[in-house]
Amino acid sequence: MAATCEQLFPESVPRNFSDGVHPAVERGGDTAAFIDRISGQAWVDEGDNLGRHALLYTELEDRTFEEIMAIGEKLEKDARAKGMEVTVEEDFAGNVYITLIGNDPRAKKILIESHGDSVPRGGRVDGVYGIASGFTLVRKFIEEGRRPAKSLMVGAFRGEESSKTKFGCLGSALATGSVTIEKLKAVKNESSGKSIFHELKERFCQKNAQILSDDQFEAVLQKELRVRSDFLKKIAYVVEVHPEQADILQTLDKSMAAVTTIGAAERYDLIFDGNVFEQFYPQMFVSAEGPVERIKLKITGQADHSGAAPMNGEKIGDKTYFRRDALVETARIFAEIMARPVEGLAVVGISVPGGGVNTVPGICELEILVLRSLRGNVLQNIENKMNGGFELNAEITNENVLESVQSIRDEVVKKIFDLIVTIDHHATDFAVRTGGKVRVTMGNIQIKEGKIIVNIDQRKANEEWHGQLRSSLFGVVDEVAGELRSLGVNLERTSPNNADIANCSETLIDIADRVFKVLNRDLEMKKLVSMPGHDLAKFILKDVPSILFFVRSFNGSHNPNEAVKADDILEMD
């Protein structure tokens, strides 16, 4: 079911309108209207692809930012009619800034920022909520004909999500000069297969009608990154408003919170190479009981944010959390099934549709070959072992496999499944013991160029615990690597791609607390920690005072059903 306004705003009526404005969105305030308008540009409403697909530098992300520009141009026109000034700018990375000029144009600006992109099969509110909140504030000043003391800048950043690059907060990193050209050349965008450096070059040349060599564009890029310090000097402080994503506020019945610490991510891959595959010969297993069938198994759980979603056993108030990780569940079930050899059963494919390094897998697909006579027992065995909260769908794609098929060797697939389960067990133990200060997700598994690749995302809000968990996991991986070598399989662990923990301004949190008390509202849970990364961290690490507000969210995040509440939106408006 599509996460249209009726899921986002519980009071709404079925969506059926022609003018693009849903009556429930109006009840949700200006912010809800902006959310609907911006997020709708990249919404796909079809089967397993249901959700928002504003991936970095794709057509749907471009359309999203064109809509953000259009909103800015409308605010510019409205401001001019009131004798006020709004500017609309786009930087070299495609980030967009809409600024309402204040009483003192020379004073440092207040930046209200968030991101406009999404994960594959994402929801409507992640990122977009913060941009919409900024637009709402600007619109209110314009409607009242009142200039703010300081200029208000709404910033919309590209590529905050790392699903296709394994490099988060790209747009804000470029905006703040927090990334090197060498890194831009090394980071690949899986959506296009190109490096970020070459994508930036192509977009720059197209926009400016120029033809540049790599060396010429590198000089342009060096200049752009150098002047980022001037951009930062013009900012007084930064505010980000974001859905909380982990359902903590919902569980504790709190509408919003300030965040003190933004955690960071360490990413690396496990690559299985060498003697991984073998030929499966159906004729060896055919009997009077029937031929060999090819079956696609789909195990469905709940996609979520790899940083925000607590791991199994973590406590939120009185609630014990249960992750519905489809990849871990699939690995657990088949590790048990294949603990003993099963004649006439082979695994020929495994994937996570829409998988990404920053998403808890909501779906895992496994393709198997199995004797028709065994099919019923195998499917029943899977269902018997499956935990509650998961669903199994089985589709026969070939009723009579005649040709030999390349399959994953039984010994190898067992090791891979056992390793996934063991990593999850270690990470869960650490997460429970530390109160969620570290978490681990295997967001994707894929077969590529004769290799099997598993993505690892390790989150941290405490360096000491992070180091202990990393040592524990590396020990497990190295032990399995030794066992696989005897089978002719190499297990490579790539170098971790690390980031830094960032702390929000205590001064700004104290000021916000006092302001809220004047308004007769308590700022709740001032000590909340954000395990997901945010664009705001790039400004914090450049010593720009910054504050992050969380708004209560529902149904987790990084899935089509992520939601916020209309009443909470009206409070923020």
Side-chain angles (χ1 to χ4, degrees):
M1 183 171 63
T4 50
C5 298
E6 52 266 32
Q7 286 80 48
L8 293 171
F9 315 113
E11 298 87 349
S12 74
V13 294
R15 185 173 189 148
N16 182 17
F17 55 97
S18 57
D19 61 359
V21 179
H22 191 287
V25 173
E26 293 180 352
R27 290 204 296 276
D30 284 346
T31 300
F34 284 131
I35 289 171
D36 193 53
R37 182 171 168 182
I38 297 168
S39 65
Q41 301 305 311
W43 189 262
V44 175
D45 193 359
E46 55 181 48
D48 287 342
N49 283 321
L50 175 69
R52 191 163 171 260
H53 291 258
L55 308 183
L56 176 66
Y57 294 149
T58 60
E59 179 185 354
L60 292 182
E61 193 201 40
D62 285 343
R63 280 170 46 182
T64 298
F65 277 77
E66 287 166 6
E67 187 66 23
I68 291 168
M69 291 276 283
I71 291 171
E73 289 163 1
K74 176 64 165 60
L75 292 172
E76 179 184 24
K77 180 180 177 182
D78 293 344
R80 194 163 54 246
K82 291 286 186 80
M84 303 167 73
E85 183 182 358
V86 166
T87 63
V88 181
E89 302 170 282
E90 183 181 30
D91 70 14
F92 72 103
N95 303 313
V96 174
Y97 310 92
I98 288 89
T99 306
L100 173 62
I101 305 301
N103 283 328
D104 184 358
R106 294 169 299 179
K108 290 187 175 183
K109 302 175 177 68
I110 300 168
L111 172 61
I112 304 166
E113 57 76 23
S114 192
H115 63 97
D117 67 315
S118 76
V119 298
R121 298 180 175 86
R124 287 181 175 265
V125 295
D126 181 10
V128 173
Y129 190 110
I131 299 169
S133 298
F135 282 151
T136 298
L137 184 59
V138 168
R139 174 184 271 179
K140 285 193 172 183
F141 272 103
I142 294 172
E143 287 177 345
E144 295 172 9
R146 183 164 57 93
R147 289 186 180 86
K150 298 178 184 293
S151 297
L152 295 177
M153 174 186 284
V154 180
F157 292 117
R158 299 265 190 164
E160 190 263 3
E161 305 290 1
S162 53
S163 307
K164 297 298 180 181
T165 61
K166 299 174 190 166
F167 184 87
C169 303
L170 177 69
S172 55
L174 289 164
T176 57
S178 303
V179 62
T180 64
I181 290 177
E182 289 72 24
K183 186 69 174 178
L184 296 174
K185 289 180 177 179
V187 174
K188 291 285 179 65
N189 185 351
E190 292 180 11
S191 297
S192 64
K194 302 171 185 173
S195 72
I196 299 300
F197 175 87
H198 285 104
E199 289 216 289
L200 288 169
K201 174 189 167 186
E202 287 183 12
R203 296 172 78 86
F204 179 87
C205 291
Q206 183 178 13
K207 181 178 179 180
N208 295 281
Q210 295 182 23
I211 299 175
L212 299 177
S213 67
D214 283 0
D215 289 344
Q216 288 173 323
F217 179 67
E218 184 168 332
V220 171
L221 198 51
Q222 284 175 337
K223 181 180 178 181
E224 288 285 358
L225 292 174
R226 280 198 302 270
V227 301
R228 293 296 97 195
S229 59
D230 295 333
F231 170 71
L232 293 173
K233 289 175 184 176
K234 296 175 183 177
I235 299 173
Y237 58 89
V238 186
V239 179
E240 182 173 329
V241 181
H242 203 284
E244 180 256 326
Q245 299 182 290
D247 295 353
I248 294 173
L249 293 176
Q250 174 202 355
T251 301
L252 300 178
D253 195 25
K254 307 289 187 181
S255 62
M256 66 176 302
V259 172
T260 59
T261 301
I262 300 174
E266 180 175 274
R267 276 78 180 259
Y268 54 93
D269 292 340
L270 302 180
I271 303 174
F272 301 82
D273 191 13
N275 193 18
V276 175
F277 300 94
E278 63 184 1
Q279 290 300 117
F280 180 91
Y281 297 94
Q283 57 268 32
M284 291 176 59
F285 298 96
V286 173
S287 68
E289 298 179 62
V292 172
E293 298 176 331
R294 186 170 185 137
I295 301 176
K296 178 187 285 186
L297 304 173
K298 181 167 77 170
I299 293 179
T300 303
Q302 173 68 62
D304 216 327
H305 193 298
S306 61
M311 302 200 72
N312 290 341
E314 282 190 52
K315 293 277 190 179
I316 303 175
D318 295 331
K319 175 184 175 182
T320 301
Y321 198 87
F322 171 58
R323 257 194 191 193
R324 292 162 60 193
D325 185 323
L327 174 57
V328 171
E329 182 72 358
T330 301
R332 183 190 64 78
I333 291 170
F334 272 83
E336 293 180 18
I337 289 175
M338 302 183 75
R340 293 183 297 274
V342 181
E343 287 290 318
L345 172 67
V347 176
V348 295
I350 182 169
S351 64
V352 174
V357 70
N358 58 346
T359 301
V360 175
I363 298 173
C364 183
E365 292 184 345
L366 198 69
E367 285 199 88
I368 63 172
L369 298 180
V370 63
L371 270 170
R372 180 179 295 173
S373 58
L374 296 178
R375 184 217 310 159
N377 288 337
V378 169
L379 296 182
Q380 187 62 56
N381 201 2
I382 295 171
E383 290 189 342
N384 290 343
K385 294 179 183 297
M386 187 176 295
N387 283 314
F390 293 91
E391 295 180 2
L392 171 67
N393 177 269
E395 176 190 359
I396 299 173
T397 58
N398 188 338
E399 294 184 349
N400 188 6
V401 179
L402 299 175
E403 302 294 328
S404 64
V405 178
Q406 192 175 60
S407 66
I408 307 172
R409 292 173 61 192
D410 283 355
E411 302 93 333
V412 175
V413 77
K414 290 174 192 173
K415 293 288 185 187
I416 292 174
F417 286 153
D418 281 336
L419 180 57
I420 289 171
V421 172
T422 302
I423 288 173
D424 184 68
H425 282 171
H426 276 252
T428 296
D429 177 58
F430 270 79
V432 171
R433 284 196 283 138
T434 64
K437 295 296 190 298
V438 287
R439 290 178 183 139
V440 173
T441 303
M442 290 153 282
N444 200 10
I445 185 170
Q446 54 186 319
I447 297 173
K448 192 173 182 180
E449 298 175 353
K451 304 174 183 179
I452 298 178
I453 303 171
V454 180
N455 299 150
I456 308 287
D457 174 271
Q458 183 169 333
R459 300 286 173 143
K460 59 180 180 178
N462 179 287
E463 290 287 1
E464 182 180 354
W465 280 109
H466 168 72
Q468 290 183 31
L469 176 56
R470 179 209 273 169
S471 296
S472 174
L473 296 185
F474 283 9
V476 170
V477 171
D478 291 346
E479 182 179 344
V480 173
E483 295 170 358
L484 285 171
R485 275 195 292 273
S486 65
L487 299 174
V489 177
N490 298 317
L491 170 52
E492 175 190 356
R493 171 172 41 81
T494 61
S495 298
N497 177 7
N498 207 351
D500 295 320
I501 296 168
N503 295 310
C504 294
S505 166
E506 293 181 8
T507 301
L508 289 178
I509 292 174
D510 289 340
I511 291 171
D513 192 22
R514 293 199 297 271
V515 169
F516 273 64
K517 284 175 180 174
V518 169
L519 297 173
N520 199 29
R521 290 169 54 186
D522 289 334
L523 184 59
E524 301 150 337
M525 291 185 63
K526 290 192 297 181
K527 299 296 182 183
L528 194 62
V529 171
S530 171
M531 290 298 283
H534 293 273
D535 288 308
L536 191 79
K538 299 301 181 185
F539 292 88
I540 294 173
L541 296 172
K542 288 291 185 177
D543 297 321
V544 180
S546 304
I547 186 168
L548 172 61
F549 292 106
F550 271 169
V551 178
R552 172 169 45 190
S553 60
F554 300 82
N555 305 328
S557 186
H558 286 190
N559 69 73
N561 295 313
E562 64 180 19
V564 290
K565 196 175 179 183
D567 288 348
D568 294 341
I569 291 177
L570 287 169
E571 279 194 34
M572 289 301 297
D573 283 359

